[in-house]
């Protein structure tokens, strides 16, 4: 039988080189042609109804090991009633700053939480002058939230408090007195959750990203990695109620910033940015259990991390990895939209009170229970990205096939991590092609080294 001739090794190498170059080419072209002026950084989206007041947004930005990406800045921004930028606050105290929670205070100033350089800076900011009224630095590596408990007391969620020597987590909630400069109350997660929660203690065990004072000596906490929101009685230190269960992602999946409301008939209600499920949900507590009454934005939102009910019944949503703030009606229609790169964390509509205890109305108060898509967005590409995200294309390509579950898991992981590490000018597809090219290049070089080593061994 006649054998086909072997492919010349030089031709094979040339084919590999051409394929690697082809995979890298789209990203190279994007890098060369990228114009920051073409990428809306702070920009109005859909506005069919004025906001009624200024919306303040904390933008997390991107910092890695003390190095800040200038195209992904951390800052506070304020958008006016019609979605136009009113002011921008860039911190001058070190380049490695993050911005997380921002809360309006009764005097019109803002309470700001900003980790930096292995510690957390919390301060009161005058939004008119952008000057600090007071500030405190805490030896907390990463804090996402703090709330004013009283005129001279802060309650702080201290996460990533890892005791490496003993292999235990010291994640905690503390009350700090601004007058005496001392901790006056402490509550630790390890005293109230089994050590095997979320697979066991680690350096980022609870990822406690929120603490809100509910009044009557109660706190609402959000241990993100435990997939639940819990209410704690400060006097007894007992957990008196909880929404969600560790690992049960049908209820919550790595949520952020739960808000507590009471409906007109007295029913306790929680509005939650259900980040891992890419949706915003509302639950009512009746007959001893939490019942979901509302869901909006699934398969449209990308890692939402804040949702606040406004007095007009609309909901203000921080859609982090789509880099935008949305005000949507109970049926999901966008009436106000603002794009704020890079990675907004929290948004507050001034003049509507603190987010921690909202008067509502709840979804049931408005007879709007149900599941709704989000409609009416301007769908701008804020800060770079794809018109159809790579993650969405992957899910669609494998929908209805035996690989659907794996594709969804991969797409979810990609959508969560890729935006943080990819350059601002690179789309998801370009990054995917570059990764393929890198694997091919490494595989080729490994084969060449192995072949050369073999030839040397044989020649001896």
């Amino acid at each position: 039988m006649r054998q086909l001739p072997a492919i010349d090794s030089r031709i094979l190498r040339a084919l590999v080189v051409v394929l690697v170059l082809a995979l890298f080419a789209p990203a190279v072209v994007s890098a060369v042609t990228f114009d920051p002026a073409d990428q809306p950084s702070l920009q109005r989206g859909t506005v069919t109804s004025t906001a009624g007041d200024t919306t303040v947004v904390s933008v997390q930005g991107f910092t890695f090991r003390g190095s800040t990406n200038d195209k992904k800045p951390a800052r506070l921004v304020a958008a006016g009633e019609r979605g136009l930028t009113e002011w921008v606050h860039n911190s001058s105290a070190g380049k490695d700053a993050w911005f997380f929670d921002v809360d309006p205070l009764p005097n019109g100033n803002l309470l700001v939480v900003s980790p930096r350089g292995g510690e957390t800076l919390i301060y009161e900011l005058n939004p008119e002058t952008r000057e600090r009224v007071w500030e405190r630095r805490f030896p907390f590596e990463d804090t996402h939230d703090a709330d004013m408990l009283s005129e001279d007391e802060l309650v702080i969620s201290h996460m990533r408090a890892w005791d490496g020597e003993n292999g235990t987590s010291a994640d905690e909630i503390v009350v700090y007195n601004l007058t005496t400069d001392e901790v006056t109350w402490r509550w630790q997660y390890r005293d109230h959750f089994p050590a095997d929660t979320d697979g066991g203690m680690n350096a980022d065990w609870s990822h406690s990203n929120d603490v809100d004072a509910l009044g009557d000596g109660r706190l609402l906490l959000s241990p993100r990695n435990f997939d639940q929101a819990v209410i704690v009685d400060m006097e007894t230190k007992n957990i008196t109620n909880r929404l969600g269960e560790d690992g049960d992602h049908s209820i919550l999946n790595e949520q952020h910033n739960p808000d507590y409301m009471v409906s007109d008939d007295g029913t306790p209600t929680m509005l939650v940015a259900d980040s891992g499920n890419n949706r915003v949900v509302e639950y009512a507590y009746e007959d001893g259990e939490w019942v979901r009454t509302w869901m909006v934005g699934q398969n449209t939102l990308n890692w939402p991390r804040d949702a606040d009910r406004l007095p007009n019944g609309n909901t203000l949503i921080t859609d982090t990895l789509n880099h935008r703030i949305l005000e949507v009606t109970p049926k999901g229609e966008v009436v106000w939209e603002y794009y704020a790169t890079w990675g907004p964390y929290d948004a507050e509509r001034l003049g509507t009170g603190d987010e921690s205890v909202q008067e509502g109305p709840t979804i049931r108060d408005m007879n709007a229970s149900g599941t709704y898509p989000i409609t009416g967005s301007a769908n701008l590409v804020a800060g770079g990205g794809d018109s159809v995200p790579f993650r969405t294309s992957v899910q669609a390509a494998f929908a209805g096939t035996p690989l659907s579950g794996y594709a969804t898991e991969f797409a979810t992981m990609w959508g969560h991590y890729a935006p943080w590490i990819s350059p601002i000018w690179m789309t998801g597809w370009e990054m995917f092609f570059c990764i393929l090219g890198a694997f091919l290049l490494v595989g080729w070089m490994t084969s060449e080294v192995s072949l050369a080593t073999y030839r040397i061994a044989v020649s001896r």
Side-chain angles (χ1 to χ4, degrees):
M1 182 176 178
R2 182 180 177 185
Q3 292 184 338
L4 294 175
I7 299 177
D8 188 285
S9 61
R10 290 172 297 180
I11 296 177
L12 185 59
R13 290 189 180 96
L15 289 174
V16 172
V17 170
V18 170
L19 183 55
V20 169
L21 291 177
L23 290 171
F24 280 107
V28 172
V29 171
S30 292
V32 172
T33 60
F34 174 74
D35 183 358
D38 293 336
Q39 305 297 324
S41 176
L42 300 173
Q43 183 166 326
R44 174 173 56 190
T46 295
V47 176
T48 62
S49 178
T50 56
D53 209 328
T54 296
T55 303
V56 177
V57 184
S58 65
V59 181
Q60 180 178 344
F62 183 78
T63 296
F64 182 71
R65 297 187 182 278
S67 176
T68 299
N69 187 328
D70 291 335
K71 294 177 180 177
K72 300 178 180 180
R75 53 192 171 178
L76 299 179
V77 299
E81 296 183 11
R82 300 182 183 277
L84 298 177
T85 303
E86 291 185 343
W87 53 260
V88 177
H89 170 66
N90 292 300
S91 173
S92 60
K95 288 192 63 179
D96 59 344
W98 305 85
F99 280 102
F100 287 110
D101 188 60
V102 56
D103 283 337
L105 297 173
N107 62 5
N109 291 341
L110 303 169
L111 181 67
V112 180
V113 176
S114 179
R116 56 191 67 198
E119 60 183 8
T120 293
L121 177 66
I122 300 177
Y123 59 94
E124 180 180 336
L125 180 73
N126 183 324
E128 298 295 329
T129 64
R130 259 82 77 198
E131 295 179 349
R132 299 174 192 168
V133 177
W134 57 260
E135 66 177 61
R136 294 291 189 280
R137 292 180 181 272
F138 296 91
F140 303 159
E141 177 185 353
D142 191 8
T143 297
H144 282 24
D145 191 35
D147 203 11
M148 293 301 301
L149 194 60
S150 66
E151 289 186 359
D152 60 354
E153 287 182 309
L154 277 174
V155 59
I156 306 168
S157 179
H158 176 204
M159 68 181 199
R160 290 180 175 153
W162 179 240
D163 182 351
E165 184 175 341
N166 295 311
T168 58
S169 170
D171 289 1
E172 62 184 352
I173 308 297
V174 300
V175 173
Y176 182 84
N177 189 297
L178 293 168
T179 301
T180 63
D181 286 319
E182 61 181 356
V183 172
T184 59
W185 185 87
R186 174 172 271 114
W187 187 94
Q188 294 193 319
Y189 279 94
R190 68 188 183 196
D191 295 332
H192 302 273
F193 289 86
D196 61 355
T197 305
D198 193 45
M201 291 186 184
N202 56 67
D204 188 20
W205 187 43
S206 69
H207 199 97
S208 178
N209 59 35
D210 190 51
V211 53
D212 291 332
L214 301 183
D216 298 326
R218 297 174 301 153
L219 299 176
L220 174 61
L221 313 181
S222 174
R224 188 198 78 176
N225 290 349
F226 299 170
D227 306 313
Q228 56 194 279
V230 300
I231 296 176
V232 172
D233 182 290
M234 295 186 68
E235 182 177 357
T236 65
K237 294 192 174 183
N238 292 330
I239 294 176
T240 60
N241 205 335
R242 74 179 73 219
L243 166 63
E245 182 180 348
D246 182 35
D248 186 350
H249 293 165
S250 66
I251 304 174
L252 295 176
N253 183 2
E254 298 200 344
Q255 76 292 329
H256 284 77
N257 290 320
D259 287 337
Y260 184 86
M261 299 179 286
V262 178
S263 67
D264 290 342
D265 63 3
T267 302
T269 304
M270 280 200 209
L271 174 66
V272 191
D274 189 8
S275 311
N277 287 323
N278 295 318
R279 64 187 185 182
V280 171
V281 290
E282 186 166 310
Y283 286 86
Y285 190 69
E286 55 182 24
D287 298 326
E289 64 179 19
W290 291 95
V291 178
R292 192 173 72 209
T293 57
W294 189 60
M295 180 172 72
V296 70
Q298 193 168 40
N299 300 322
T300 300
L301 301 173
N302 189 5
W303 199 245
R305 292 194 291 180
D306 189 30
D308 298 337
R309 180 62 38 75
L310 301 175
N312 64 5
N314 292 342
T315 303
L316 191 67
I317 300 172
T318 302
D319 188 13
T320 294
L321 293 182
N322 284 324
H323 311 295
R324 61 181 177 173
I325 311 301
L326 308 169
E327 180 184 338
V328 303
T329 67
K331 294 188 176 181
E333 179 187 356
V334 176
V335 297
W336 188 93
E337 183 178 39
Y338 182 74
Y339 289 80
T341 60
W342 199 92
Y345 181 83
D346 184 22
E348 296 294 328
R349 178 69 51 77
L350 301 185
T352 62
D354 188 12
E355 65 182 354
S356 56
V357 184
Q358 299 182 19
E359 296 181 357
T362 69
I363 285 296
R364 281 188 171 175
D365 289 339
M366 297 182 286
N367 296 315
S369 297
T371 298
Y372 304 96
I374 287 179
T375 60
S377 169
N379 290 318
L380 300 180
V381 182
D386 313 294
S387 56
V388 178
F390 172 78
R391 63 184 178 88
T392 302
S393 299
V394 170
Q395 285 177 297
F398 291 93
T401 72
L403 297 177
S404 177
Y406 297 105
T408 298
E409 185 176 346
F410 170 75
T412 300
M413 183 178 66
W414 181 278
H416 182 51
Y417 292 106
W420 298 99
I421 61 177
S422 64
I424 196 169
W425 42 263
M426 184 183 289
T427 68
W429 280 107
E430 290 167 355
M431 184 176 179
F432 179 69
F433 291 148
C434 283
I435 291 174
L436 286 182
F439 274 116
L440 181 59
L441 189 60
V442 170
W444 175 35
M445 296 303 296
T446 301
S447 298
E448 291 287 351
V449 170
S450 298
L451 182 58
T453 303
Y454 173 75
R455 286 173 176 170
I456 292 172
V458 170
S459 66
R460 291 177 180 175

